[in-house]
Amino acid sequence: MNTAFTMADIEKAHAVVDPDGVNDYLTALRQLGVAYYVSHICDGHSDFYDAAGNKLSTAPIHDRLTVAERVDPKAAKLALGQHGRGETDYLTFARQLADAGIETWLMDPRARTCTFCCRAGEKLFSAPL
């Protein structure tokens, strides 16, 4: 089955994202019918899901990163704080998360949360947006 949204819809919503615009982006995704999306640290691709579980995936956006086997939630939270304050760019943030053993983050447009997961798929912590 196909999703009601297209990659063009996702790209249009993403084009307006800035550090202060994450909530606007999540609102736009929710209006498109995105139930949640998962971003993969290894190469930056994301999987967007609708309420029925149908998936639309983006292409990788950066060279492959190796995600550490050992998980360091404290380092991941530090990286999140730095990125949230605009102290790092996306790729630096992704490298820091990979080094901290974070494999994915799951964005929930309805709950307005970002949940960070390790290689085993375990949910380590969530951050409100």
Side-chain angles (χ1 to χ4, degrees), residues 38-42 64-73 97-105 115-124:
V38 178
S39 289
H40 299 264
I41 304 302
C42 65
R64 193 155 191 80
L65 300 174
T66 301
V67 176
E69 289 186 36
R70 186 176 149 267
V71 178
D72 186 347
L97 291 179
D99 290 345
I102 303 298
E103 181 161 87
T104 60
W105 72 65
T115 302
F116 294 82
C117 304
C118 67
R119 290 173 66 168
E122 178 184 350
K123 293 178 180 179
L124 301 170

Side-chain angles (χ1 to χ4, degrees), residues 21-80:
V22 173
N23 281 313
D24 291 340
Y25 177 56
L26 293 176
T27 297
L29 291 179
R30 186 172 162 193
Q31 290 171 346
L32 290 172
V34 174
Y36 67 95
Y37 73 92
V38 178
S39 289
H40 299 264
I41 304 302
C42 65
D43 61 9
H45 86 274
S46 294
D47 300 320
F48 293 83
Y49 295 86
D50 64 16
N54 299 311
K55 176 175 79 169
L56 183 64
S57 298
T58 67
I61 61 169
H62 58 72
D63 291 336
R64 193 155 191 80
L65 300 174
T66 301
V67 176
E69 289 186 36
R70 186 176 149 267
V71 178
D72 186 347
K74 185 177 177 181
K77 289 177 184 178
L78 178 64
L80 177 61

